[in-house]
């Protein structure tokens, strides 16, 4: 049941869950906007076709759970806002191209950019 539901939300071209789903006028199949590409041809039946945004599928994808790296299950539509403040998510250092989670970044800051922290703490303390 669950699998059937999910398979309806998967693109027949890339086999992933749709990103910006559009429905083809020719065969009523849905594809990601990137799988349609710049051509006006349907990726399955190769006919020139019109595409309209598939809002129903898009709304269903928005309410799918998304498991973040921190272990929390969130809704896909909340992913961007959660990731902005997630402590476990890997992000890059604002000073160099080091990548790590919040704790890693603090550790990294202490060893590599201590001058930034010293000026920060001297303001706070
Ligand atoms: Zn696709
Ligand atoms: Zn088609
Ligand atoms: Zn998270
Ligand atoms: Zn750094």
């Amino acid at each position: 049941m669950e699998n059937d539901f999910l398979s309806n939300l998967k693109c027949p071209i890339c086999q992933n869950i749709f990103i910006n789903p559009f429905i083809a006028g020719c065969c009523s199949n849905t594809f990601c906007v990137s799988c349609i590409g710049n051509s006006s041809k349907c990726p399955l039946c190769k006919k020139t076709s019109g595409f309209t945004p598939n809002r129903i599928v898009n709304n269903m994808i928005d309410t799918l759970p998304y498991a973040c790296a921190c272990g929390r299950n969130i809704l896909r539509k909340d992913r961007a806002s959660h990731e902005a403040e997630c402590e476990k998510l890997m992000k890059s250092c604002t000073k160099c191209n080091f990548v790590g989670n919040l704790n890693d970044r603090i550790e990294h800051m202490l060893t590599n950019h201590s001058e930034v922290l010293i000026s920060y703490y001297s303001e706070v303390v």
Side-chain angles (χ1 to χ4, degrees):
M1 185 66 199
E2 175 82 340
N3 286 341
D4 273 7
F5 175 71
L6 272 180
S7 68
N8 285 332
L9 300 179
K10 278 187 183 162
C11 171
I13 304 302
C14 63
Q15 305 292 321
N16 292 317
I17 290 175
F18 293 116
I19 299 166
N20 282 332
F22 275 72
I23 188 162
C26 49
C27 54
S28 300
N29 275 302
T30 301
F31 310 101
C32 321
V33 70
S34 59
C35 291
I36 299 166
N38 293 325
S39 79
S40 55
K41 284 196 179 121
C42 172
L44 272 192
C45 41
K46 314 286 182 202
K47 285 182 196 155
T48 304
S49 182
F51 296 95
T52 40
N54 193 332
R55 293 213 173 78
I56 297 166
V57 166
N58 205 19
N59 289 343
M60 288 201 288
I61 291 167
D62 275 353
T63 59
L64 279 181
Y66 173 78
C68 181
C70 64
R72 279 183 59 185
N73 277 311
I74 50 175
L75 298 182
R76 275 178 187 258
K77 67 179 162 66
D78 298 329
R79 185 177 163 183
S81 57
H82 169 76
E83 286 186 345
E85 57 194 31
C86 180
E87 289 182 10
K88 292 279 172 66
L89 194 76
M90 307 292 265
K91 280 185 202 166
S92 52
C93 172
T94 49
K95 298 280 168 191
C96 69
N97 51 22
F98 173 86
V99 176
N101 66 29
L102 187 65
N103 283 335
D104 290 343
R105 292 200 308 280
I106 291 172
E107 183 88 36
H108 163 85
M109 277 295 224
L110 285 169
T111 40
N112 296 279
H113 312 292
S114 53
E115 73 287 350
V116 180
L117 288 172
I118 288 163
S119 65
Y120 173 74
Y121 280 116
S122 58
E123 277 172 35
V124 175
V125 180

